[in-house]
Amino acid sequence: MTELPLPLSPGESRLLRGEGEQRALGAALAHALPPGSLLFLEGELGAGKTTLTRGLVGAYGFSGGVTSPTYALMHAYPTPAGRVLHVDAYRVRDVAELYEMDLEDLVAGSRLSVVEWGEGLYGDYPAAPVLRLEHVEDEAEVRRVTRVR
């Protein structure tokens, strides 16, 4: 399997200082990920997963609001480059619930799919990169992003 040409290599970490750098990394990822890609984001609440997603969606030309789909589970953003699917699986007890919502078809028909809290799906999408975002102690505006795979 060919390694995706992402701004981070597996195991590499980077500090992101503020929301602007989080969105900029999202934009860089948007340009590096081929059409039809799926990206997993890990991280505690407030770590910047949705902010990074704003950068991804914005890079494809979407100018509307991008919010966490925690309660809706999924948001679809129409962009000139194609639909971006944003999934938050935090409240899902069993990934079968997502498949019952046609996850496979939605992913297949999207330019990019971003899944937060999607650990239960890792085995089904083994080629999808995983990024972990973390708060940095004593640095309220700084996040550490690590490419897990």
Side-chain angles (χ1 to χ4, degrees):
M1 179 179 309
T2 312
E3 191 61 46
L4 292 174
L6 296 182
L8 289 168
S9 300
E12 182 181 355
S13 291
R14 180 180 305 166
L15 292 179
L16 303 173
R17 300 184 190 292
E19 289 188 11
E21 288 189 14
Q22 291 173 36
R23 287 191 304 272
L25 176 61
L29 288 165
H31 297 299
L33 290 165
S37 293
L38 188 139
L39 172 68
F40 289 110
L41 299 178
E42 296 180 348
E44 57 209 15
L45 295 173
K49 298 178 298 297
T50 299
T51 301
L52 185 99
T53 302
R54 282 186 191 110
L56 283 158
V57 176
Y60 293 136
F62 184 78
S63 59
V66 174
T67 60
S68 175
T70 299
Y71 296 103
L73 298 182
M74 296 182 190
H75 288 161
Y77 298 103
T79 78
R83 176 180 63 209
V84 176
L85 180 67
H86 186 194
V87 178
D88 186 329
Y90 182 74
R91 294 177 49 241
V92 173
R93 290 176 221 183
D94 185 335
V95 295
E97 292 177 48
L98 294 172
Y99 287 113
E100 289 168 6
M101 297 172 72
D102 294 323
L103 178 69
E104 285 179 295
D105 290 338
L106 290 168
V107 168
S110 296
R111 165 59 178 88
L112 174 66
S113 299
V114 178
V115 180
E116 300 181 20
W117 305 95
E119 294 85 356
L121 297 168
Y122 289 0
D124 295 339
Y125 297 93
V130 178
L131 300 180
R132 179 182 306 123
L133 288 101
E134 303 169 286
H135 292 94
V136 175
E137 192 174 333
D138 298 326
E139 298 281 344
E141 297 301 316
V142 179
R143 301 295 184 266
R144 177 179 296 107
V145 61
T146 304
R147 182 166 174 198
V148 176
R149 71 170 193 198

